[in-house]
Amino acid sequence: MALPLRGKICLVAGASRGVGRGLARGLGEAGATVIVTARSSETGRRTETRPEAIEDTARAVDAAGGEGHHYLCDHTSERAVDELVHWTLRRFGRIDVAASSVWGGNEGFDGERYPDGAAWGTPFWRRSAEPFSRFLGTGPYPGLLLARAVAPAMVSAGSGLIAFASFGTEEGYLGDLYYDLAKAVTNRLAYACAQELSPHGVCALSLSPGFVATERVRDLGQEALATESPLYAGRALAALAADPAVLDRAGRTLHVGDLARAYGFIDADGRQPERFRIAAGDAGGEIA
């Protein structure tokens, strides 16, 4: 079995569950050494008291064929992220791939309403603006912190891939103002990072999965609506990381379904779902 990422050092933030765990598993399948990070640990607190933890993900990376390591980190803290990256560089010497899948915007969402009582898609003038700070602070901001922390080592090496898990906003409105703006900011972050990093050989891009069958989606009874597993995005990231011409894709928002056709990978169940296209009402669950 080919292991195109054997010897590569990868870091996945927000990897205790969901898309982040899928990214880590996909990199592990390709033979990578993967440092998985998040707030939820077997030895500490759990996000929303959920059962998933980073140790589980590290073991999943091992089982997939890679080498998993876990590191407890609050990705909303600049100091904590800097310490994580310094630890990784001291232990492994470099970082070849860094992916941010940190997303706390759906915390407290029960499938119908957010903690403030607003339903998905409630007109913005009928709800408080306060939750928007959480959408930005637990999505684009952690992505920026990770990119800022890993960029110096990648620029020095003249290579590297930074991927931001997001959702495509180029085809229309996503149905909820706060969610739409948070994903648009993340996609613009990828574009802006690429403008500054590409001349140094470092690729930054945004990765857009579909409606993913995450643990939360299953718990909410929405699995039948999902189009793909978390591993589909992981295989997309692994394919990008193994592509010597990945810099040609810098700054773009790349859809997992499109990448599956370009690189020839499939989802865990053997299917190859097409690019997910949002329709009114489709985004009530945890897309990414």
Side-chain angles (χ1 to χ4, degrees), residues 9 63 262:
I9 307 301

Side-chain angles (χ1 to χ4, degrees), residues 26-71:
L27 294 168
E29 277 187 344
T33 295
V34 189
I35 297 92
V36 297
T37 77
R39 294 173 296 168
S40 297
S41 169
E42 292 176 346
T43 59
R45 57 173 293 202
R46 307 288 184 98
T47 303
E48 298 180 288
T49 68
R50 294 194 59 87
E52 304 88 15
I54 50 175
E55 291 87 350
D56 298 325
T57 304
R59 288 189 284 265
V61 170
D62 291 338
E67 181 181 318
H69 300 266
H70 63 272
Y71 187 104

Side-chain angles (χ1 to χ4, degrees), residues 127-175:
R127 65 185 301 195
S128 168
E130 191 277 331
F132 182 51
S133 64
R134 187 177 73 252
F135 277 65
L136 290 181
T138 61
Y141 183 63
L144 172 61
L145 293 184
L146 183 64
R148 175 193 165 277
V150 301
M154 289 185 174
V155 168
S156 179
S159 64
L161 171 62
I162 301 174
F164 303 94
S166 184
F167 194 83
T169 54
E170 72 275 20
E171 294 181 346
Y173 183 50
L174 299 185

Side-chain angles (χ1 to χ4, degrees), residues 77-282:
S77 165
E78 182 173 355
R79 178 176 178 178
V81 174
D82 286 348
E83 290 176 348
L84 159 67
V85 171
H86 292 159
W87 174 86
T88 303
L89 292 172
R90 286 195 306 271
R91 179 159 183 180
F92 299 100
R94 68 184 192 283
I95 299 173
D96 299 296
V97 178
S100 178
S101 188
V102 179
W103 174 243
N106 281 14
E107 290 183 10
F109 183 68
D110 65 4
E112 296 183 2
R113 295 189 179 276
Y114 288 101
D116 66 351
W120 169 270
T122 296
F124 71 90
W125 63 91
R126 294 180 181 171
R127 65 185 301 195
S128 168
E130 191 277 331
F132 182 51
S133 64
R134 187 177 73 252
F135 277 65
L136 290 181
T138 61
Y141 183 63
L144 172 61
L145 293 184
L146 183 64
R148 175 193 165 277
V150 301
M154 289 185 174
V155 168
S156 179
S159 64
L161 171 62
I162 301 174
F164 303 94
S166 184
F167 194 83
T169 54
E170 72 275 20
E171 294 181 346
Y173 183 50
L174 299 185
D176 183 277
L177 184 78
Y178 297 167
Y179 185 89
D180 184 278
L181 288 180
K183 298 307 178 184
V185 170
T186 301
N187 296 336
R188 187 65 181 185
L189 173 63
Y191 174 81
C193 286
Q195 302 312 300
E196 300 196 5
L197 291 171
S198 293
H200 302 281
V202 179
C203 179
L205 52 80
S206 178
L207 186 63
S208 176
F211 197 146
V212 182
T214 64
E215 297 87 350
R216 182 192 296 274
V217 165
R218 293 198 299 269
D219 290 348
L220 294 177
Q222 298 177 334
E223 188 172 7
L225 301 175
T227 59
E228 60 211 56
S229 79
L231 184 59
Y232 203 36
R235 289 175 173 171
L237 180 59
L240 289 166
D243 186 352
V246 69
L247 197 58
D248 294 341
R249 299 182 182 272
R252 296 166 56 188
T253 298
L254 303 173
H255 294 261
V256 170
D258 294 343
L259 293 171
R261 281 153 181 76
Y263 289 112
F265 61 85
I266 57 176
D267 202 353
D269 61 2
R271 297 182 305 116
Q272 193 181 63
E274 297 183 359
R275 176 201 291 205
F276 181 81
R277 299 180 188 278
I278 195 166
D282 278 354

